[in-house]
PDB file of all heavy atoms in Angstrom:
ATOM      1  N   MET G   5      -8.280   1.422  -8.728  1.00 91.00           N
ATOM      2  CA  MET G   5      -9.419   2.198  -8.199  1.00 91.00           C
ATOM      3  C   MET G   5     -10.533   2.237  -9.238  1.00 91.00           C
ATOM      4  O   MET G   5     -11.732   2.080  -8.852  1.00 91.00           O
ATOM      5  CB  MET G   5      -8.969   3.591  -7.774  1.00 91.00           C
ATOM      6  CG  MET G   5     -10.070   4.413  -7.195  1.00 91.00           C
ATOM      7  SD  MET G   5     -10.650   3.874  -5.572  1.00 91.00           S
ATOM      8  CE  MET G   5      -9.587   4.806  -4.520  1.00 91.00           C
ATOM      9  N   GLN G  16     -25.906  -2.296  -3.221  1.00 93.00           N
ATOM     10  CA  GLN G  16     -27.155  -1.652  -2.820  1.00 93.00           C
ATOM     11  C   GLN G  16     -27.329  -1.794  -1.312  1.00 93.00           C
ATOM     12  O   GLN G  16     -27.032  -2.791  -0.712  1.00 93.00           O
ATOM     13  CB  GLN G  16     -28.328  -2.319  -3.510  1.00 93.00           C
ATOM     14  CG  GLN G  16     -28.385  -2.066  -4.982  1.00 93.00           C
ATOM     15  CD  GLN G  16     -29.616  -2.654  -5.643  1.00 93.00           C
ATOM     16  OE1 GLN G  16     -30.484  -3.227  -4.967  1.00 93.00           O
ATOM     17  NE2 GLN G  16     -29.702  -2.499  -6.898  1.00 93.00           N
ATOM     18  N   GLU G  41     -12.558 -13.790  -1.938  1.00 96.00           N
ATOM     19  CA  GLU G  41     -12.377 -13.599  -0.525  1.00 96.00           C
ATOM     20  C   GLU G  41     -10.948 -13.307  -0.124  1.00 96.00           C
ATOM     21  O   GLU G  41     -10.693 -12.628   0.857  1.00 96.00           O
ATOM     22  CB  GLU G  41     -12.866 -14.845   0.206  1.00 96.00           C
ATOM     23  CG  GLU G  41     -14.356 -14.992   0.237  1.00 96.00           C
ATOM     24  CD  GLU G  41     -14.827 -16.169   1.055  1.00 96.00           C
ATOM     25  OE1 GLU G  41     -14.029 -16.747   1.820  1.00 96.00           O
ATOM     26  OE2 GLU G  41     -16.025 -16.521   0.961  1.00 96.00           O
ATOM     27  N   TRP G  56      -5.615   1.564  14.768  1.00 83.00           N
ATOM     28  CA  TRP G  56      -6.657   2.001  13.824  1.00 83.00           C
ATOM     29  C   TRP G  56      -6.813   0.920  12.786  1.00 83.00           C
ATOM     30  O   TRP G  56      -5.851   0.279  12.332  1.00 83.00           O
ATOM     31  CB  TRP G  56      -6.272   3.278  13.148  1.00 83.00           C
ATOM     32  CG  TRP G  56      -6.319   4.445  13.996  1.00 83.00           C
ATOM     33  CD1 TRP G  56      -6.955   4.599  15.189  1.00 83.00           C
ATOM     34  CD2 TRP G  56      -5.673   5.674  13.794  1.00 83.00           C
ATOM     35  NE1 TRP G  56      -6.796   5.853  15.710  1.00 83.00           N
ATOM     36  CE2 TRP G  56      -5.981   6.547  14.874  1.00 83.00           C
ATOM     37  CE3 TRP G  56      -4.865   6.196  12.783  1.00 83.00           C
ATOM     38  CZ2 TRP G  56      -5.515   7.828  14.941  1.00 83.00           C
ATOM     39  CZ3 TRP G  56      -4.406   7.464  12.874  1.00 83.00           C
ATOM     40  CH2 TRP G  56      -4.761   8.289  13.949  1.00 83.00           C
ATOM     41  N   GLY G  69      -2.973  -1.671  -1.476  1.00 93.00           N
ATOM     42  CA  GLY G  69      -4.298  -2.009  -1.937  1.00 93.00           C
ATOM     43  C   GLY G  69      -5.163  -0.776  -1.995  1.00 93.00           C
ATOM     44  O   GLY G  69      -4.652   0.356  -1.859  1.00 93.00           O
ATOM     45  N   ALA G  86     -14.373  12.249  11.915  1.00 95.00           N
ATOM     46  CA  ALA G  86     -14.224  11.468  10.684  1.00 95.00           C
ATOM     47  C   ALA G  86     -13.140  12.066   9.801  1.00 95.00           C
ATOM     48  O   ALA G  86     -12.320  11.323   9.250  1.00 95.00           O
ATOM     49  CB  ALA G  86     -15.553  11.397   9.929  1.00 95.00           C
ATOM     50  N   PHE G  87     -13.119  13.395   9.703  1.00 96.00           N
ATOM     51  CA  PHE G  87     -12.091  14.051   8.875  1.00 96.00           C
ATOM     52  C   PHE G  87     -10.701  13.744   9.391  1.00 96.00           C
ATOM     53  O   PHE G  87      -9.781  13.472   8.608  1.00 96.00           O
ATOM     54  CB  PHE G  87     -12.314  15.592   8.805  1.00 96.00           C
ATOM     55  CG  PHE G  87     -13.599  15.960   8.127  1.00 96.00           C
ATOM     56  CD1 PHE G  87     -14.193  17.179   8.440  1.00 96.00           C
ATOM     57  CD2 PHE G  87     -14.193  15.188   7.157  1.00 96.00           C
ATOM     58  CE1 PHE G  87     -15.347  17.582   7.816  1.00 96.00           C
ATOM     59  CE2 PHE G  87     -15.330  15.603   6.482  1.00 96.00           C
ATOM     60  CZ  PHE G  87     -15.938  16.808   6.834  1.00 96.00           C
ATOM     61  N   GLN G  94      -5.571   8.530   4.554  1.00 94.00           N
ATOM     62  CA  GLN G  94      -5.014   9.073   3.303  1.00 94.00           C
ATOM     63  C   GLN G  94      -3.500   9.002   3.311  1.00 94.00           C
ATOM     64  O   GLN G  94      -2.875   8.824   2.265  1.00 94.00           O
ATOM     65  CB  GLN G  94      -5.536  10.500   3.079  1.00 94.00           C
ATOM     66  CG  GLN G  94      -5.101  11.017   1.706  1.00 94.00           C
ATOM     67  CD  GLN G  94      -5.538  12.438   1.457  1.00 94.00           C
ATOM     68  OE1 GLN G  94      -5.700  13.218   2.402  1.00 94.00           O
ATOM     69  NE2 GLN G  94      -5.742  12.783   0.157  1.00 94.00           N
ATOM     70  N   MET G 130     -18.211   8.770  -2.138  1.00 96.00           N
ATOM     71  CA  MET G 130     -19.544   8.583  -2.647  1.00 96.00           C
ATOM     72  C   MET G 130     -20.581   8.559  -1.533  1.00 96.00           C
ATOM     73  O   MET G 130     -20.223   8.131  -0.458  1.00 96.00           O
ATOM     74  CB  MET G 130     -19.628   7.372  -3.566  1.00 96.00           C
ATOM     75  CG  MET G 130     -19.561   6.054  -2.903  1.00 96.00           C
ATOM     76  SD  MET G 130     -19.740   4.687  -4.040  1.00 96.00           S
ATOM     77  CE  MET G 130     -18.372   4.906  -5.154  1.00 96.00           C
TER      78      MET G 130
END
Side-chain angles (χ1 to χ4, degrees):
M5 182 69 91
Q16 293 183 2
E41 288 184 12
W56 290 340
F87 295 154
Q94 186 181 28
M130 70 176 62

